[in-house]
Amino acid sequence: MTLRRPRLRATVAPALLTASACVALTACGTSEADSTGAASAAKGTVSVRIPDPGNSGLLALGKKDGSLEKALAKVGATVEWTGSAGPFAPAAQAMNADQLDIATGSITSGITSLAQRPGFKFFTAVDPDAAGEGILVKDGSGIDSVADLVGKKVAVNQGGTGEYLLLKALAKAHIPADKVKRVYLRPDQTAAVFNAGKVDAWSVWATYAVAEIGSGKAHFVADGAAIGSDNYSLNAVRTGFAEQHPKVVKALYQYLHNGSVKQKQNPAAYLNVFTDVGPTAVTGKAKDIQTEFTGKSATVEPIGPEDIKRFEAVAEFYAEQKVTKTKVDVAAHLLDIEKLT
Protein backbone atom coordinates (compact mmCIF):
# COMPACT_ATOMS: atom_id res chain seq x y z
CA MET A 1 0.00 0.00 0.00
CA THR A 2 1.42 3.39 -1.00
CA LEU A 3 0.70 6.15 1.45
CA ARG A 4 0.35 9.75 0.46
CA ARG A 5 3.31 11.70 1.72
CA PRO A 6 2.47 14.53 4.15
CA ARG A 7 2.40 17.88 2.46
CA LEU A 8 4.53 20.75 3.68
CA ARG A 9 2.62 23.03 6.02
CA ALA A 10 4.76 26.15 6.08
CA THR A 11 1.59 28.23 6.09
CA VAL A 12 -1.68 26.77 7.25
CA ALA A 13 -4.97 28.52 7.89
CA PRO A 14 -5.83 28.38 11.62
CA ALA A 15 -8.95 26.90 13.40
CA LEU A 16 -11.62 24.01 13.98
CA LEU A 17 -13.05 20.94 15.51
CA THR A 18 -13.98 18.51 18.17
CA ALA A 19 -13.29 18.68 21.90
CA SER A 20 -14.77 17.75 25.25
CA ALA A 21 -15.15 18.22 28.96
CA CYS A 22 -12.06 17.31 30.95
CA VAL A 23 -12.65 14.26 33.10
CA ALA A 24 -10.23 12.00 34.96
CA LEU A 25 -9.09 9.00 32.96
CA THR A 26 -8.52 5.49 34.20
CA ALA A 27 -5.23 3.69 33.64
CA CYS A 28 -4.83 1.58 30.53
CA GLY A 29 -4.40 -2.17 31.04
CA THR A 30 -2.48 -3.34 27.99
CA SER A 31 -2.43 -7.00 28.99
CA GLU A 32 -6.21 -7.22 28.70
CA ALA A 33 -6.14 -5.26 25.45
CA ASP A 34 -3.51 -7.56 23.96
CA SER A 35 -5.42 -10.70 24.93
CA THR A 36 -8.54 -9.26 23.26
CA GLY A 37 -6.61 -8.55 20.07
CA ALA A 38 -4.98 -11.99 20.10
CA ALA A 39 -8.35 -13.71 20.47
CA SER A 40 -9.73 -11.76 17.51
CA ALA A 41 -6.66 -12.53 15.40
CA ALA A 42 -6.95 -16.24 16.23
CA LYS A 43 -10.38 -16.24 14.63
CA GLY A 44 -8.93 -14.68 11.50
CA THR A 45 -10.74 -11.35 11.83
CA VAL A 46 -9.78 -8.32 13.90
CA SER A 47 -12.70 -6.32 15.30
CA VAL A 48 -12.16 -2.55 15.27
CA ARG A 49 -14.41 -0.80 17.78
CA ILE A 50 -15.39 2.67 16.52
CA PRO A 51 -18.05 5.06 17.89
CA ASP A 52 -21.21 5.09 15.79
CA PRO A 53 -20.87 8.12 13.47
CA GLY A 54 -24.51 9.19 13.43
CA ASN A 55 -26.15 10.76 10.40
CA SER A 56 -23.38 12.78 8.75
CA GLY A 57 -19.72 12.60 7.87
CA LEU A 58 -17.16 10.36 6.28
CA LEU A 59 -17.68 7.39 8.60
CA ALA A 60 -21.46 7.66 8.36
CA LEU A 61 -21.28 7.23 4.60
CA GLY A 62 -18.71 4.47 5.02
CA LYS A 63 -21.11 2.66 7.32
CA LYS A 64 -24.06 3.02 4.96
CA ASP A 65 -22.37 2.00 1.72
CA GLY A 66 -20.15 -0.66 3.29
CA SER A 67 -16.96 0.89 1.91
CA LEU A 68 -15.23 0.97 5.29
CA GLU A 69 -15.94 -2.72 5.86
CA LYS A 70 -14.54 -3.52 2.40
CA ALA A 71 -11.37 -1.50 3.03
CA LEU A 72 -10.73 -3.16 6.38
CA ALA A 73 -11.58 -6.64 5.09
CA LYS A 74 -8.46 -6.43 2.90
CA VAL A 75 -6.35 -6.47 6.08
CA GLY A 76 -8.46 -9.04 7.89
CA ALA A 77 -10.53 -6.61 9.95
CA THR A 78 -14.17 -5.73 10.50
CA VAL A 79 -15.96 -2.80 12.15
CA GLU A 80 -17.83 -3.01 15.42
CA TRP A 81 -19.87 0.18 15.89
CA THR A 82 -20.16 0.89 19.59
CA GLY A 83 -21.69 3.77 21.52
CA SER A 84 -21.90 7.07 19.68
CA ALA A 85 -19.48 9.75 18.55
CA GLY A 86 -19.13 12.64 20.99
CA PRO A 87 -16.62 14.44 23.23
CA PHE A 88 -13.10 13.04 23.24
CA ALA A 89 -12.50 12.80 27.00
CA PRO A 90 -15.01 9.98 27.61
CA ALA A 91 -13.78 8.30 24.42
CA ALA A 92 -10.25 8.44 25.83
CA GLN A 93 -11.54 6.83 29.00
CA ALA A 94 -13.14 4.08 26.93
CA MET A 95 -9.88 3.41 25.07
CA ASN A 96 -8.01 3.26 28.38
CA ALA A 97 -10.54 0.72 29.65
CA ASP A 98 -10.24 -1.42 26.48
CA GLN A 99 -13.80 -0.62 25.42
CA LEU A 100 -12.95 1.34 22.25
CA ASP A 101 -10.17 1.22 19.64
CA ILE A 102 -10.58 4.40 17.59
CA ALA A 103 -11.82 7.91 18.45
CA THR A 104 -11.73 11.42 17.02
CA GLY A 105 -10.96 14.58 18.97
CA SER A 106 -9.13 17.88 18.93
CA ILE A 107 -5.55 18.51 19.99
CA THR A 108 -6.92 20.69 22.79
CA SER A 109 -9.08 17.99 24.37
CA GLY A 110 -6.35 15.52 23.50
CA ILE A 111 -3.79 17.37 25.59
CA THR A 112 -5.98 17.42 28.68
CA SER A 113 -6.57 13.69 28.24
CA LEU A 114 -2.85 13.07 27.74
CA ALA A 115 -2.22 14.88 31.02
CA GLN A 116 -3.83 11.89 32.74
CA ARG A 117 -2.59 8.31 32.13
CA PRO A 118 -3.27 7.80 28.44
CA GLY A 119 -3.63 4.44 26.75
CA PHE A 120 -3.87 5.87 23.24
CA LYS A 121 -1.83 7.55 20.52
CA PHE A 122 -2.76 9.98 17.74
CA PHE A 123 -2.14 8.83 14.17
CA THR A 124 -3.73 11.43 11.83
CA ALA A 125 -4.04 15.18 11.66
CA VAL A 126 -6.55 17.53 10.03
CA ASP A 127 -5.35 21.10 9.77
CA PRO A 128 -7.36 23.65 11.78
CA ASP A 129 -10.42 24.98 9.95
CA ALA A 130 -10.56 28.74 10.18
CA ALA A 131 -14.29 29.00 9.49
CA GLY A 132 -16.02 26.44 11.69
CA GLU A 133 -15.10 27.39 15.25
CA GLY A 134 -15.04 30.57 17.27
CA ILE A 135 -16.82 32.63 19.89
CA LEU A 136 -20.53 32.75 19.20
CA VAL A 137 -22.75 35.67 20.23
CA LYS A 138 -26.38 36.55 19.63
CA ASP A 139 -27.18 39.08 16.93
CA GLY A 140 -27.80 42.45 18.57
CA SER A 141 -25.99 41.44 21.77
CA GLY A 142 -23.78 44.52 21.69
CA ILE A 143 -20.69 42.28 21.71
CA ASP A 144 -18.80 43.38 18.64
CA SER A 145 -15.25 42.38 19.55
CA VAL A 146 -13.32 40.17 21.93
CA ALA A 147 -12.75 43.24 24.13
CA ASP A 148 -16.52 43.46 24.66
CA LEU A 149 -16.41 40.08 26.47
CA VAL A 150 -14.86 41.71 29.54
CA GLY A 151 -17.25 41.23 32.46
CA LYS A 152 -19.37 38.78 30.48
CA LYS A 153 -20.16 35.07 30.93
CA VAL A 154 -18.86 32.73 28.23
CA ALA A 155 -19.84 29.06 28.02
CA VAL A 156 -16.90 26.71 27.41
CA ASN A 157 -16.23 23.00 27.67
CA GLN A 158 -13.53 22.62 30.28
CA GLY A 159 -10.10 21.73 28.97
CA GLY A 160 -11.29 21.37 25.37
CA THR A 161 -11.85 23.47 22.28
CA GLY A 162 -14.18 25.99 23.94
CA GLU A 163 -11.84 26.89 26.78
CA TYR A 164 -8.85 26.98 24.42
CA LEU A 165 -10.52 29.32 21.92
CA LEU A 166 -11.63 31.74 24.62
CA LEU A 167 -8.25 31.84 26.36
CA LYS A 168 -6.45 32.17 23.02
CA ALA A 169 -8.72 35.04 21.94
CA LEU A 170 -8.24 36.87 25.24
CA ALA A 171 -4.47 36.40 25.14
CA LYS A 172 -4.29 37.76 21.59
CA ALA A 173 -6.32 40.81 22.67
CA HIS A 174 -4.08 41.23 25.77
CA ILE A 175 -7.05 40.75 28.10
CA PRO A 176 -6.40 38.93 31.41
CA ALA A 177 -8.31 35.65 31.51
CA ASP A 178 -9.94 36.48 34.83
CA LYS A 179 -11.72 39.48 33.28
CA VAL A 180 -14.16 37.07 31.62
CA LYS A 181 -16.19 34.49 33.55
CA ARG A 182 -15.88 31.00 32.14
CA VAL A 183 -19.05 28.93 32.58
CA TYR A 184 -18.15 25.25 32.28
CA LEU A 185 -20.84 23.29 30.46
CA ARG A 186 -21.04 20.17 28.36
CA PRO A 187 -21.41 21.23 24.72
CA ASP A 188 -24.57 19.17 24.22
CA GLN A 189 -26.20 21.05 27.10
CA THR A 190 -25.11 24.56 26.16
CA ALA A 191 -27.49 25.56 23.36
CA ALA A 192 -30.46 25.90 25.72
CA VAL A 193 -28.42 27.96 28.16
CA PHE A 194 -27.07 30.18 25.38
CA ASN A 195 -30.50 30.73 23.81
CA ALA A 196 -32.06 31.50 27.20
CA GLY A 197 -29.55 34.32 27.66
CA LYS A 198 -27.97 32.75 30.75
CA VAL A 199 -24.55 33.21 29.17
CA ASP A 200 -23.45 36.07 26.95
CA ALA A 201 -21.37 34.04 24.50
CA TRP A 202 -20.43 30.48 23.63
CA SER A 203 -16.93 29.38 22.66
CA VAL A 204 -17.66 26.48 20.34
CA TRP A 205 -16.91 24.52 17.17
CA ALA A 206 -18.82 23.59 14.01
CA THR A 207 -20.66 20.56 15.41
CA TYR A 208 -22.73 22.90 17.57
CA ALA A 209 -22.16 26.30 15.91
CA VAL A 210 -23.78 25.40 12.60
CA ALA A 211 -27.31 25.12 14.03
CA GLU A 212 -26.98 28.41 15.90
CA ILE A 213 -25.60 30.33 12.93
CA GLY A 214 -28.15 28.62 10.68
CA SER A 215 -30.96 29.95 12.85
CA GLY A 216 -30.06 33.43 11.65
CA LYS A 217 -29.82 34.68 15.23
CA ALA A 218 -26.14 34.23 16.06
CA HIS A 219 -22.70 34.76 14.58
CA PHE A 220 -19.02 34.46 15.45
CA VAL A 221 -17.60 37.61 17.02
CA ALA A 222 -14.23 35.98 16.32
CA ASP A 223 -13.68 32.82 14.30
CA GLY A 224 -10.69 30.49 14.35
CA ALA A 225 -8.77 32.54 11.81
CA ALA A 226 -9.17 35.75 13.82
CA ILE A 227 -8.22 33.96 17.02
CA GLY A 228 -5.16 32.30 15.50
CA SER A 229 -6.29 28.84 16.54
CA ASP A 230 -4.03 25.79 16.33
CA ASN A 231 -6.89 23.45 17.15
CA TYR A 232 -6.27 20.42 14.95
CA SER A 233 -8.66 17.50 14.62
CA LEU A 234 -6.98 14.16 15.30
CA ASN A 235 -7.74 10.46 15.19
CA ALA A 236 -6.58 8.36 18.11
CA VAL A 237 -6.00 4.63 18.39
CA ARG A 238 -5.77 2.50 21.51
CA THR A 239 -2.09 1.80 22.13
CA GLY A 240 -2.54 -1.94 22.56
CA PHE A 241 -4.51 -2.15 19.31
CA ALA A 242 -1.87 -0.24 17.34
CA GLU A 243 0.85 -2.53 18.67
CA GLN A 244 -1.10 -5.66 17.77
CA HIS A 245 -2.56 -4.56 14.43
CA PRO A 246 -0.45 -1.86 12.71
CA LYS A 247 -1.63 -2.88 9.23
CA VAL A 248 -5.24 -2.28 10.27
CA VAL A 249 -4.36 1.19 11.58
CA LYS A 250 -2.54 1.98 8.33
CA ALA A 251 -5.50 0.80 6.25
CA LEU A 252 -7.85 2.91 8.33
CA TYR A 253 -5.66 5.96 7.78
CA GLN A 254 -5.69 5.41 4.01
CA TYR A 255 -9.48 5.07 4.01
CA LEU A 256 -9.90 8.26 6.05
CA HIS A 257 -7.48 10.20 3.85
CA ASN A 258 -9.09 9.13 0.57
CA GLY A 259 -12.58 9.73 1.94
CA SER A 260 -11.72 13.18 3.26
CA VAL A 261 -10.53 14.24 -0.20
CA LYS A 262 -13.87 13.14 -1.68
CA GLN A 263 -15.81 14.81 1.14
CA LYS A 264 -14.08 18.12 0.57
CA GLN A 265 -14.94 17.94 -3.13
CA ASN A 266 -18.61 17.04 -2.54
CA PRO A 267 -19.61 17.99 1.03
CA ALA A 268 -23.35 17.67 0.48
CA ALA A 269 -23.04 13.92 -0.19
CA TYR A 270 -21.86 13.41 3.40
CA LEU A 271 -24.80 15.17 5.07
CA ASN A 272 -28.02 13.44 6.15
CA VAL A 273 -26.60 10.06 5.16
CA PHE A 274 -29.35 7.97 6.78
CA THR A 275 -32.21 10.46 7.06
CA ASP A 276 -32.97 14.04 6.04
CA VAL A 277 -35.65 14.54 8.70
CA GLY A 278 -35.66 14.58 12.47
CA PRO A 279 -33.22 15.89 15.09
CA THR A 280 -30.09 14.42 13.48
CA ALA A 281 -30.78 15.99 10.07
CA VAL A 282 -29.12 19.21 8.94
CA THR A 283 -31.63 21.35 7.05
CA GLY A 284 -32.26 24.84 5.71
CA LYS A 285 -29.59 27.47 6.11
CA ALA A 286 -27.67 25.27 8.54
CA LYS A 287 -27.16 22.74 5.73
CA ASP A 288 -25.73 25.44 3.49
CA ILE A 289 -23.40 26.61 6.26
CA GLN A 290 -22.19 23.08 7.04
CA THR A 291 -21.56 22.44 3.36
CA GLU A 292 -19.54 25.65 3.16
CA PHE A 293 -17.49 24.82 6.26
CA THR A 294 -16.72 21.30 5.03
CA GLY A 295 -15.71 22.57 1.61
CA LYS A 296 -13.15 24.84 3.27
CA SER A 297 -11.83 22.19 5.63
CA ALA A 298 -8.60 20.25 5.28
CA THR A 299 -8.06 16.55 4.61
CA VAL A 300 -6.87 13.72 6.86
CA GLU A 301 -3.07 13.50 6.69
CA PRO A 302 -0.15 11.86 8.49
CA ILE A 303 1.25 13.88 11.39
CA GLY A 304 4.24 15.86 10.15
CA PRO A 305 7.00 17.93 11.81
CA GLU A 306 5.18 21.24 11.34
CA ASP A 307 2.06 19.80 12.95
CA ILE A 308 4.05 18.62 15.96
CA LYS A 309 5.47 22.10 16.48
CA ARG A 310 1.96 23.50 16.62
CA PHE A 311 0.79 20.72 18.95
CA GLU A 312 3.63 21.60 21.30
CA ALA A 313 2.68 25.28 21.14
CA VAL A 314 -0.85 24.40 22.29
CA ALA A 315 0.57 22.25 25.10
CA GLU A 316 2.80 25.13 26.22
CA PHE A 317 -0.13 27.56 26.09
CA TYR A 318 -2.27 25.21 28.20
CA ALA A 319 0.47 25.02 30.82
CA GLU A 320 0.87 28.81 30.85
CA GLN A 321 -2.88 29.23 31.29
CA LYS A 322 -2.97 26.62 34.13
CA VAL A 323 -5.33 24.37 32.17
CA THR A 324 -2.75 21.62 32.74
CA LYS A 325 -0.36 21.49 35.70
CA THR A 326 2.69 21.09 33.47
CA LYS A 327 3.43 21.06 29.76
CA VAL A 328 2.25 17.79 28.25
CA ASP A 329 4.72 15.93 26.03
CA VAL A 330 2.49 15.48 22.99
CA ALA A 331 5.25 14.07 20.77
CA ALA A 332 5.54 11.01 23.00
CA HIS A 333 1.98 10.03 22.10
CA LEU A 334 2.08 10.23 18.30
CA LEU A 335 2.36 7.50 15.66
CA ASP A 336 4.15 7.95 12.35
CA ILE A 337 1.61 6.22 10.14
CA GLU A 338 4.12 5.80 7.33
CA LYS A 339 6.44 3.73 9.53
CA LEU A 340 3.81 1.21 10.58
CA THR A 341 4.37 -2.24 9.08
Side-chain angles (χ1 to χ4, degrees):
M1 180 184 297
T2 300
L3 294 183
R4 186 180 187 276
R5 298 297 302 176
R7 65 186 182 281
L8 294 177
R9 292 184 174 101
T11 56
V12 182
L16 177 66
L17 217 35
T18 337
S20 68
C22 179
V23 297
L25 302 183
T26 57
C28 176
T30 55
S31 60
E32 181 181 355
D34 291 349
S35 64
T36 301
S40 296
K43 297 177 182 177
T45 302
V46 177
S47 180
V48 188
R49 294 167 296 181
I50 303 176
D52 190 280
N55 192 33
S56 295
L58 170 56
L59 290 179
L61 188 59
K63 178 183 179 182
K64 182 178 182 179
D65 66 14
S67 58
L68 179 58
E69 282 281 6
K70 291 178 183 177
L72 292 180
K74 294 177 181 178
V75 288
T78 187
V79 180
E80 179 184 342
W81 301 107
T82 177
S84 58
F88 183 71
Q93 278 189 309
M95 285 189 287
N96 289 356
D98 187 22
Q99 297 171 347
L100 194 65
D101 299 312
I102 302 293
T104 302
S106 65
I107 185 58
T108 48
S109 57
I111 286 171
T112 50
S113 294
L114 288 174
Q116 310 296 324
R117 299 177 64 186
F120 62 88
K121 293 183 183 293
F122 293 111
F123 68 100
T124 74
V126 178
D127 291 340
D129 181 342
E133 65 179 4
I135 300 174
L136 200 67
V137 298
K138 287 291 190 65
D139 293 352
S141 66
I143 301 175
D144 300 314
S145 68
V146 173
D148 293 332
L149 294 173
V150 172
K152 300 293 195 298
K153 296 178 181 179
V154 182
V156 302
N157 59 310
Q158 188 174 17
T161 292
E163 187 163 30
Y164 168 77
L165 291 172
L166 176 61
L167 292 174
K168 188 77 171 176
L170 294 176
K172 186 174 183 180
H174 306 291
I175 298 170
D178 61 4
K179 296 295 183 181
V180 176
K181 181 175 177 56
R182 279 168 272 175
V183 179
Y184 293 123
L185 293 169
R186 275 177 33 187
D188 59 351
Q189 297 176 335
T190 305
V193 177
F194 176 69
N195 287 304
K198 295 180 180 179
V199 294
D200 301 293
W202 182 6
S203 188
V204 67
W205 61 102
T207 301
Y208 302 96
V210 166
E212 301 304 321
I213 297 172
S215 72
K217 299 178 182 179
H219 64 278
F220 284 138
V221 70
D223 61 15
I227 291 168
S229 170
D230 278 326
N231 190 35
Y232 280 72
S233 174
L234 309 174
N235 281 292
V237 59
R238 183 171 57 82
T239 303
F241 186 91
E243 291 171 349
Q244 287 284 311
H245 311 294
K247 290 183 180 179
V248 177
V249 179
K250 185 177 283 191
L252 182 58
Y253 158 74
Q254 195 67 60
Y255 178 85
L256 292 171
H257 167 73
N258 294 344
S260 68
V261 172
K262 295 176 182 177
Q263 182 177 238
K264 182 176 174 65
Q265 294 169 343
N266 184 19
Y270 294 80
L271 291 177
N272 302 333
V273 172
F274 292 98
T275 179
D276 57 6
V277 296
T280 64
V282 184
T283 59
K285 186 178 179 182
K287 184 176 181 179
D288 295 335
I289 292 169
Q290 183 62 72
T291 300
E292 179 185 352
F293 284 172
T294 304
K296 292 178 179 178
S297 66
T299 53
V300 175
E301 302 291 343
I303 297 170
E306 290 301 315
D307 306 319
I308 297 172
K309 289 180 182 178
R310 293 173 71 180
F311 296 170
E312 295 292 347
V314 176
E316 185 172 353
F317 179 72
Y318 260 26
E320 291 172 352
Q321 296 290 325
K322 311 299 183 185
V323 177
T324 57
K325 293 180 180 179
T326 59
K327 181 183 174 182
V328 173
D329 183 6
V330 180
H333 302 281
L334 304 177
L335 286 180
D336 185 341
I337 197 68
E338 296 189 316
K339 291 183 179 179
L340 293 183
T341 57

